[in-house]
Amino acid sequence: MSDQDFRDRVLEYFARLEKQRTEDNQHLEKQLDAIAEQAKEDNQRLEKQLDAIAEQVAENTKAIGGLAVDVGWIKGKLEAKGEERTALWSKIAVGTAICSAIIAVIALFL
């Protein structure tokens, strides 16, 4: 093999190698673009999901607030019934004491 043939083969090899690297770079750039596009779509999807979650949390907070009001109202009603019963028992005790006094006075004179 002569020097010229050797040089030609080396130059041809380098030319093929450069062409292959160019193709590889283009392929990698396409893959990076596809990955970037997929990441962009994933970010948009995640943002939509986060917005939906935030909306659901707001609705739950509102519902819990309404529930707290309702529970407070029920608690107030139950406390009022308890107070009514206590007042009724005290009225019964006072009535019983008055009746006992009247019976005692009647028994004293008879």
Side-chain angles (χ1 to χ4, degrees):
M1 176 185 299
S2 68
D3 284 344
Q4 185 62 33
D5 287 340
F6 180 73
R7 282 187 206 140
D8 289 341
R9 284 186 176 192
V10 169
L11 289 175
E12 183 182 316
Y13 175 74
F14 283 141
R16 280 187 293 159
L17 188 62
E18 184 178 349
K19 181 180 177 186
Q20 182 64 37
R21 294 298 169 239
T22 303
E23 290 173 359
D24 289 346
N25 285 341
Q26 290 173 350
H27 179 68
L28 289 174
E29 286 177 2
K30 286 180 183 178
Q31 285 182 336
L32 286 174
D33 290 342
I35 290 171
E37 184 65 29
Q38 184 65 37
K40 185 178 178 181
E41 291 172 5
D42 290 345
N43 284 340
Q44 290 174 349
R45 184 177 46 85
L46 288 173
E47 286 177 7
K48 286 180 183 178
Q49 288 177 348
L50 286 174
D51 290 342
I53 290 170
E55 190 175 304
Q56 186 65 36
V57 167
E59 289 176 10
N60 288 345
T61 303
K62 184 178 177 182
I64 288 172
L67 184 63
V69 169
D70 292 343
V71 168
W73 182 80
I74 291 169
K75 182 180 175 185
K77 284 291 193 178
L78 291 175
E79 287 175 354
K81 282 187 178 185
E83 289 175 5
E84 287 176 9
R85 287 182 185 149
T86 303
L88 179 65
W89 281 111
S90 65
K91 289 177 184 177
I92 291 173
V94 169
T96 304
I98 292 173
C99 287
S100 297
I102 292 172
I103 292 172
V105 168
I106 292 174
L108 182 65
F109 291 115
L110 289 181

